[in-house]
Amino acid sequence: MVCEEENKVLTLALGFLNSFFLTGWCLLQGDPSCRRSAILKDDTLLEFYYDDTRTAYDMFQRGLMISGSGPCLGFRKPGQPYEWISYTEVAEQAQVLGSGLLAKGCQPNPEQFVGIYAQNRPEWIISELACYTYSMAVVPLYDTLGLEAMVHILNLEHFFTNFLCKCVLGAFLAEISVVICDREEKAASLLENKEKGTTPKLSCLVLFNDFSQAFVERAKSCEVEVLKLEQLMMFDCLRGFAVCRCLNLICPLCFFCSFHFSFFSQGSFEIQQDDVSISYLPLAHMFERMIQVSMFCYGARVGFYQGDISLLMDDIKTLKPTFFPVVPRLLNRIYDKILGSVTSPFRRALLNYAVKRKQAELSSGVVRNNSLWDKLVFNKIQESLGGNLRFALTASAPISPAVLSFLRATLGCLIFEGYGQTECTAGCTFSMPGDCSTGHVGAPLPCAMVKVVDIPEMNYYAKNGEGEICIRGPSVFRGYLRDPEKTAEALDSDGWLHSGDVGQWLQNGTLRIIDRKKHIFKLAQGEYIAPEKIENVYMRCVPVLQVFVHGDSLQSYLIGIVVPDPEVFVDWAKDRGFVGSYEELCQNPDVKKAVLEDMSAVGREARLNSFEQVKDLYLHPEMFSVANGLLTPTLKSRRADIRRHFQEQISSMYSKKAN
């Protein structure tokens, strides 16, 4: 138990943090709708934390100086422990690979784009660092982009990248000639584009894995060279070539600097050399990229999952990470699994009581994993995530306050929530250490000004502290390459990025995400619908794993596509008198009615309006996933694709109601 002296210290610390948090924002020019971090001395936003660390290349070099021959990148084979590549080895391999790229004709400047089309693995980072070492820009590709988007990016007519935000965009038109892939299947999809004549400049494919001779011959027939990564590194004819520091990679560091300045300068939290992060969120996205460069800056370690999301929990248990970057969908799964594993009334009562006791500690500023309740109740839960977690960061979508509060208690670690998007380099607001409240995404980071603007058609007004969230600052991108129309939609004339999200300023200066502007639609009677808000409510239903809410201007009501949770659905149905397999229950109209009633009850509890409640639904036995093209790599719904995939069921539900 915490001793009396420790309690005094914790109370003083909490008082400081609370007073800081309650004044953690400042109005800009007296405008209550526009705010910045109170950490700043004036309205000058933060660009760098360390004066000698201004690029992604510098950040890795700083970690190299700290760690040297210490572990950097980890990987594992099935059933085996993690193996590690040291900082020194990573730096050496990156320089050799970079000079190999130069030997193949790549130019050491920001106008040279190199594609990477691979899952998260050490070679991804080594390839990225190879480009940064010689000031080349990385263009990440990923499976769910689709053929049209892949061609679009490879030709770089409209591709945008935050990594070019300090360059004069539109001054050049580059086409990607070199793409680095992990396996033959992905390289073959790119080669198919070349054969069709849609990516004429593609001339070299570099693979991590082995490939067939037949593939080499096929590539040769359309003048594309295929090399193994090790072969490209053999072209190290330019060893000793002057390293070009990547001046085009400045802007992304604003997020890291603000993250560091907000937390570390308060002495309440810091990344340490022995910290470990698990890498499974796609490196093609800014969130994971910023997590990794932040770890590298302190000589910390990053371990990669095996590439199979079904083995992620085993990878986590083996790696024993101290830092867990996560998205709400995964946290919801962990939450549901914990509750689903507690079957007896006694164990459930014990769990609820233990959670309340830990939540009381959290409200007093005590965050720990060694209390009596941790040892008696939460130990197995914490061990399932490796047992060493110090902090987690959730982003990409809002998380239920109930889930966040529950997991903060059960996991016994700090869990931060942030908000942002790729166009503002991952983050613009962040929750603070010592703040155990939920239902918000924190106060502005020191790199960003944040304001809300009116949305009259949705009845949101800045004078009420509500409106579309807009961001301005050095972390905001300069525009979409060769696409002035899209740029004008995202950035206004004063440089404010319009996010499409709807926010509300709370009394303590934090921001709450309350709605979504971009996906709203009207029903036939003229009512505006924000489907993502409704979906987040329905996700709280016990039998619901995934849900998609649909409606259009020709219909007067909403319908839904629901994927029941396979781990709890059969038992949930059995408790209500329905017996059958998971697939049989999905086809049972009475079970569907019971699920609909449960969703409606949760909707009423969340104060959804009647027109926001779904009136019919279809139970689907297969999860939305990245593999079937219904989720993005960050596990967000691909709304247009889901709508197309279930068009038959949608039409059937509406025609049935009409009849």
Side-chain angles (χ1 to χ4, degrees):
M1 303 297 286
V2 178
C3 69
E4 184 178 351
E5 191 62 27
E6 287 174 319
N7 270 324
K8 289 180 181 177
V9 173
L10 288 166
T11 302
L12 288 171
L14 179 67
F16 166 76
L17 286 167
N18 283 340
S19 64
F20 168 77
F21 187 75
L22 291 171
T23 58
W25 54 275
C26 285
L27 304 181
L28 286 172
Q29 299 177 344
D31 181 359
S33 69
C34 185
R35 307 184 180 188
R36 64 160 173 85
S37 171
I39 297 174
L40 300 170
K41 296 178 180 179
D42 52 36
D43 290 349
T44 303
L45 299 178
L46 182 71
E47 290 191 55
F48 310 109
Y49 188 77
Y50 299 112
D51 192 55
D52 61 347
T53 305
R54 297 191 169 213
T55 69
Y57 174 83
D58 292 340
M59 293 180 76
F60 185 83
Q61 291 299 310
R62 187 178 187 278
L64 174 62
M65 285 177 22
I66 292 170
S67 189
S69 58
C72 178
L73 305 177
F75 63 96
R76 71 182 295 229
K77 298 174 183 176
Q80 299 295 316
Y82 270 84
E83 302 175 47
W84 294 93
I85 306 171
S86 72
Y87 271 83
T88 302
E89 292 171 322
V90 170
E92 290 175 351
Q93 291 180 34
Q95 187 157 351
V96 170
L97 177 57
S99 62
L101 288 169
L102 296 182
K104 297 306 295 180
C106 292
Q107 299 300 308
N109 61 60
E111 298 179 17
Q112 177 66 63
F113 288 5
V114 176
I116 301 181
Y117 186 21
Q119 281 189 311
N120 297 24
R121 54 193 285 179
E123 294 93 334
W124 208 111
I125 297 300
I126 292 169
S127 300
E128 179 187 35
L129 286 170
C131 294
Y132 295 170
T133 301
Y134 294 100
S135 204
M136 293 178 274
V138 171
V139 179
L141 308 170
Y142 50 94
D143 294 323
T144 55
L145 281 171
L147 177 63
E148 183 179 349
M150 199 83 76
V151 171
H152 190 67
I153 290 173
L154 286 172
N155 288 331
L156 279 172
E157 292 177 358
H158 298 79
F159 180 71
F160 83 87
T161 171
N162 282 50
F163 291 109
L164 294 175
C165 55
K166 286 292 183 182
C167 296
V168 181
L169 298 181
F172 60 91
L173 176 60
E175 294 182 329
I176 297 176
S177 59
V178 178
V179 179
I180 301 172
C181 306
D182 51 2
R183 60 181 191 270
E184 183 177 322
E185 292 81 1
K186 289 183 179 177
S189 67
L190 299 178
L191 191 60
E192 185 178 342
N193 296 333
K194 172 74 172 185
E195 291 169 335
K196 292 177 180 178
T198 53
T199 55
K201 292 298 179 73
L202 182 64
S203 61
C204 184
L205 293 169
V206 183
L207 277 73
F208 300 156
N209 296 351
D210 293 330
F211 46 85
S212 65
Q213 186 59 35
F215 179 70
V216 175
E217 295 301 323
R218 177 186 169 191
K220 189 176 180 180
S221 67
C222 55
E223 300 181 332
V224 173
E225 184 178 15
V226 181
L227 297 171
K228 191 86 182 290
L229 189 71
E230 290 83 353
Q231 288 178 288
L232 183 60
M233 294 170 78
M234 298 278 293
F235 283 93
D236 182 25
C237 61
L238 297 175
R239 181 178 286 276
F241 194 98
V243 174
C244 304
R245 297 207 172 190
C246 338
L247 296 181
N248 58 314
L249 301 177
I250 292 176
C251 243
L253 306 190
C254 298
F255 166 78
F256 160 77
C257 293
S258 293
F259 178 85
H260 184 288
F261 195 73
S262 297
F263 295 166
F264 308 164
S265 62
Q266 302 304 315
S268 58
F269 179 79
E270 62 180 2
I271 294 177
Q272 300 167 356
Q273 185 181 342
D274 57 0
D275 275 319
V276 187
S277 176
I278 176 76
S279 176
Y280 66 98
L281 297 174
L283 276 163
H285 287 256
M286 193 62 70
F287 180 36
E288 179 67 12
R289 302 282 278 284
M290 292 301 99
I291 293 298
Q292 294 213 12
V293 294
S294 298
M295 296 296 285
F296 295 151
C297 192
Y298 289 91
R301 291 177 286 161
V302 175
F304 294 86
Y305 82 130
Q306 296 177 67
D308 184 346
I309 200 68
S310 67
L311 301 176
L312 176 61
M313 296 309 292
D314 181 59
D315 290 334
I316 291 173
K317 196 170 183 178
T318 303
L319 181 64
K320 301 182 184 300
T322 60
F323 179 28
F324 187 26
V326 66
V327 292
R329 281 183 185 270
L330 183 53
L331 289 179
N332 289 336
R333 291 284 288 159
I334 294 171
Y335 173 78
D336 292 339
K337 193 166 185 178
I338 293 171
L339 294 185
S341 67
V342 182
T343 53
S344 73
F346 172 75
R347 292 183 63 190
R348 184 171 291 274
L350 179 62
L351 174 66
N352 290 337
Y353 184 78
V355 167
K356 287 180 181 178
R357 297 310 305 158
K358 284 296 296 292
Q359 288 175 339
E361 286 192 351
L362 285 169
S363 64
S364 299
V366 179
V367 180
R368 58 174 176 160
N369 59 9
N370 61 352
S371 71
L372 175 64
W373 301 112
D374 291 300
K375 295 173 183 177
L376 290 179
V377 182
F378 305 132
N379 182 59
K380 287 186 178 179
I381 298 171
Q382 294 165 7
E383 286 298 324
S384 70
L385 294 175
N388 289 341
L389 272 188
R390 293 203 306 122
F391 59 110
L393 169 59
T394 176
S396 88
I399 182 171
S400 161
V403 172
L404 181 57
S405 181
F406 179 89
L407 292 177
R408 279 175 172 166
T410 56
L411 298 183
C413 68
L414 294 164
I415 302 181
F416 303 113
E417 187 171 7
Y419 166 76
Q421 56 189 110
T422 299
E423 286 85 347
C424 68
T425 323
C428 64
T429 71
F430 228 92
S431 59
M432 298 292 294
D435 174 41
C436 65
S437 63
T438 58
H440 63 79
V441 291
L445 284 167
C447 64
M449 297 178 184
V450 182
K451 71 175 181 178
V452 294
V453 297
D454 294 344
I455 314 175
E457 67 271 22
M458 296 180 71
N459 203 32
Y460 290 121
Y461 295 96
K463 66 181 181 181
N464 300 325
E466 300 173 340
E468 182 181 10
I469 300 167
C470 298
I471 308 111
R472 188 171 70 178
S475 61
V476 172
F477 81 143
R478 292 284 295 277
Y480 300 103
L481 184 61
R482 291 287 186 177
D483 200 336
E485 184 177 340
K486 289 288 185 183
T487 298
E489 290 176 10
L491 294 172
D492 63 27
S493 58
D494 294 322
W496 287 96
L497 169 65
H498 289 248
S499 69
D501 294 314
V502 182
Q504 175 188 48
W505 289 117
L506 303 183
Q507 288 186 347
N508 62 0
T510 60
L511 183 69
R512 173 182 289 164
I513 310 301
I514 59 173
D515 216 331
R516 177 74 176 160
K517 180 184 178 184
K518 288 185 177 178
H519 290 152
I520 65 170
F521 54 82
K522 270 186 181 181
L523 292 177
Q525 65 269 41
E527 300 286 2
Y528 281 97
I529 298 295
E532 289 167 321
K533 181 189 78 171
I534 301 170
E535 289 162 2
N536 285 333
V537 170
Y538 287 151
M539 288 287 287
R540 302 172 197 167
C541 295
V542 173
V544 175
L545 176 65
Q546 296 169 318
V547 59
F548 172 76
V549 171
H550 174 78
D552 64 55
S553 59
L554 300 178
Q555 305 293 341
S556 60
Y557 59 91
L558 301 175
I559 58 176
I561 308 295
V562 171
V563 178
D565 189 336
E567 294 186 6
V568 302
F569 186 48
V570 174
D571 290 338
W572 180 89
K574 188 176 180 180
D575 291 342
R576 286 153 181 78
F578 304 109
V579 179
S581 68
Y582 177 77
E583 289 76 12
E584 289 169 344
L585 291 170
C586 286
Q587 297 173 12
N588 188 325
D590 292 328
V591 174
K592 182 187 81 169
K593 183 179 178 181
V595 173
L596 183 58
E597 288 174 353
D598 196 59
M599 290 170 59
S600 297
V602 171
R604 287 192 297 272
E605 186 179 335
R607 298 184 179 179
L608 290 182
N609 294 306
S610 176
F611 61 82
E612 293 178 301
Q613 296 267 33
V614 297
K615 300 301 188 286
D616 197 2
L617 57 85
Y618 170 73
L619 296 181
H620 186 60
E622 181 186 354
M623 286 192 292
F624 306 159
S625 68
V626 176
N628 60 27
L630 301 182
L631 293 183
T632 70
T634 52
L635 306 183
K636 294 178 182 176
S637 296
R638 297 175 66 90
R639 307 197 68 85
D641 293 317
I642 294 176
R643 191 161 46 248
R644 281 192 293 268
H645 186 84
F646 292 101
Q647 188 57 56
E648 182 181 342
Q649 290 83 358
I650 290 171
S651 300
S652 175
M653 282 187 277
Y654 277 130
S655 62
K656 181 176 66 176
K657 284 285 183 181
N659 294 332

